[in-house]
Amino acid sequence: MNRYLLPLSVLGTVAGGAVLLRDYVAGGSCPSKATILGKTVIVTGANTGIGKQTALELAKRGGNIILACRDMEKCEAAARDIRRETLNHHVSARHLDLASLKSIREFAAKITEEKERVHILINNAAVMRCPHWTTEDGFEMQFGVNHLGHFLLTNLLLDTLKASAPSRIVNLSSLAHVAGHMDFDDLNWEKRTYDTKAAYCQSKLAVVLFTKELSRRLQGTGVTVNALHPGVARTELGRHTGMHSSAFSSFTLGPIFWLLVKSPQLAAQPSTYLAVAEELEGVSGKYFDGFKEKAPAPEAEDEEVAQRLWAESARLVGLELSGGSSPQ
C-alpha cells in the first residue's frame, strides 16, 4: 500500500499546483469587498456566462439587479437561480433585444419611467463571430449588438445615470480590439466580402472608442465609464467559432485552454471590480485587462476616430430624433 502513497502524493501536488496556477493566470477573485446595498444595477446579456455570474456577484453585494436579456425564459430562470443562491429577492428579469432599436427604446422607456435611479450599467451582452447576419434594423449583427445597441441604450439611460451620480458604466470589450479597424466607408460590411473575425474585432474596437468619447462628454457629471477585457472564458459566446466541435482542438489544445481559459465565475470578477471598487471612484475613460489598467490599441485612443464613430453611430440609431440624452 505504501508504494502507492508517493505517486498519489506527487499527483495530488501536481494537480493542486495546476489549479493554483490556473487561478493565478486567470486573475483570481475580485479584490474589492465593497457592497452596493440598495443600488440599482442593469446587466445586459445576463441569462448565462459572464453576465449571469456578474449579476450574481453584485446580488451578493446587496444590489437591486435587473437582468436585461433577449430570451425571457432563460432570463427568468437565471433570475430565479440568483435569488435562490444569494437570498436577494431584488433580482428581476426584463426583455431587451439589442438587435432591435425598437426593443432598446422600449426597455429604456420602462426603466426611466419605473426607476428614479440607475447606479451601475454593465454593457455585457455580445455576439462573437456569427455568420453574416443582420439586426432587425439592417446592421451587421456584431457591430449592431456589440456596439450600436449598447450605444443607444447607454445614451437613453444617461439622464437617469446622471441623477444617480456617482454612478458607473462598464463596457465589455475584448483584447481582440487590437486587431480591429474602423472602416467608416463600410461599417456594416455591405461592400466587402464578409470576414466574421474582422467584424468582431471592429465591433470591440468600437466599444473602446465609445468608452473614450463618452468619458470625455461625461466629465464633471459624476458618471464614469470604463472598458474591459474580462479574459477568455468558457461561455456560449464562442459557440460560432467551431472550437467546441473540433476534435483536434479539444484534444490538442484542451490542456492549454483548461489552464488559460477562465470559468464564467472568474471571468465575472473584473466586471464586478469595475462596478464596485472604491479605489476606482472617479476613474473614467480607461481600458482594463482584468483588474489592471492598460493602454489599448493606438486606434482606440484616436480622438478624431472616436468622435467620428460617435457621430456615425448617432446617425445610424437615430439618436438625434430619439428624445434621449445626447451629451454635448
Side-chain angles (χ1 to χ4, degrees):
M1 182 67 177
N2 287 342
R3 69 177 182 271
Y4 296 112
L5 291 180
L6 182 58
L8 286 173
S9 175
V10 171
L11 181 62
T13 300
V14 170
V19 170
L20 290 173
L21 177 60
R22 178 181 156 204
D23 282 353
Y24 172 78
V25 171
S29 298
C30 175
S32 173
K33 304 302 180 187
T35 58
I36 52 169
L37 189 63
K39 290 190 175 183
T40 299
V41 180
I42 297 173
V43 184
T44 68
N47 63 287
T48 187
I50 296 174
K52 181 180 178 181
Q53 289 299 319
T54 301
L56 187 148
E57 292 289 337
L58 296 174
K60 286 180 181 177
R61 295 169 186 257
N64 297 336
I65 313 299
I66 299 171
L67 279 59
C69 313
R70 180 178 57 84
D71 187 323
M72 281 305 294
E73 185 177 347
K74 290 182 179 179
C75 195
E76 293 281 8
R80 286 194 298 271
D81 290 345
I82 294 171
R83 288 194 296 265
R84 181 173 60 249
E85 185 167 343
T86 64
L87 300 182
N88 180 347
H89 297 289
H90 300 290
V91 180
S92 60
R94 299 290 185 93
H95 180 259
L96 171 65
D97 183 356
L98 287 161
S100 165
L101 298 183
K102 179 174 181 287
S103 175
I104 295 166
R105 294 180 191 281
E106 289 175 349
F107 173 86
K110 288 179 181 178
I111 292 295
T112 53
E113 179 183 348
E114 298 173 11
K115 304 291 182 183
E116 291 185 5
R117 298 285 186 267
V118 173
H119 302 91
I120 300 169
L121 170 62
I122 300 183
N123 290 321
N124 165 84
V127 180
M128 179 182 181
R129 296 178 66 175
C130 60
H132 193 185
W133 296 338
T134 56
T135 68
E136 179 179 292
D137 304 281
F139 307 130
E140 187 273 321
M141 184 64 72
Q142 296 180 91
F143 185 67
V145 170
N146 300 352
H147 169 60
L148 290 177
H150 284 129
F151 173 86
L152 177 60
L153 174 66
T154 303
N155 273 283
L156 294 177
L157 294 176
L158 273 185
D159 284 342
T160 306
L161 285 157
K162 289 176 183 177
S164 312
S167 53
R168 301 185 185 190
I169 303 165
V170 180
N171 292 330
L172 269 72
S173 181
S174 168
L175 181 61
H177 86 274
V178 302
H181 170 66
M182 302 309 305
D183 186 340
F184 288 104
D185 292 327
D186 192 21
L187 288 173
N188 282 298
W189 293 86
E190 295 166 324
K191 304 173 184 176
R192 294 169 287 167
T193 300
Y194 188 64
D195 181 333
T196 185
K197 182 179 178 181
Y200 177 72
C201 295
Q202 175 186 253
S203 75
K204 289 302 185 177
L205 173 60
V207 171
V208 184
L209 287 163
F210 167 49
T211 300
K212 292 281 184 180
E213 177 62 10
L214 180 58
S215 175
R216 186 185 70 81
R217 291 170 177 247
L218 288 174
Q219 288 177 12
T221 64
V223 183
T224 62
V225 54
N226 292 292
L228 167 69
H229 169 56
V232 181
R234 293 188 303 278
T235 69
E236 294 180 9
L237 181 62
R239 60 188 174 274
H240 298 298
T241 63
M243 181 64 69
H244 304 297
S245 59
S246 168
F248 172 79
S249 296
S250 297
F251 178 78
T252 308
L253 302 179
I256 298 173
F257 276 93
W258 181 87
L259 178 64
L260 299 179
V261 177
K262 298 182 180 182
S263 66
Q265 180 182 8
L266 275 177
Q269 301 305 308
S271 300
T272 304
Y273 178 66
L274 264 63
V276 306
E278 294 169 344
E279 59 267 32
L280 295 182
E281 185 173 347
V283 175
S284 190
K286 305 301 182 183
Y287 172 77
F288 284 78
D289 185 341
F291 302 120
K292 296 181 179 180
E293 180 188 331
K294 291 195 175 178
E299 188 171 345
E301 299 198 279
D302 189 316
E303 291 185 5
E304 290 187 9
V305 174
Q307 290 172 17
R308 184 178 180 185
L309 176 64
W310 183 287
E312 187 64 14
S313 300
R315 184 188 70 80
L316 288 170
V317 304
L319 187 61
E320 303 89 340
L321 306 176
S322 69
S325 299
S326 183
Q328 300 298 323

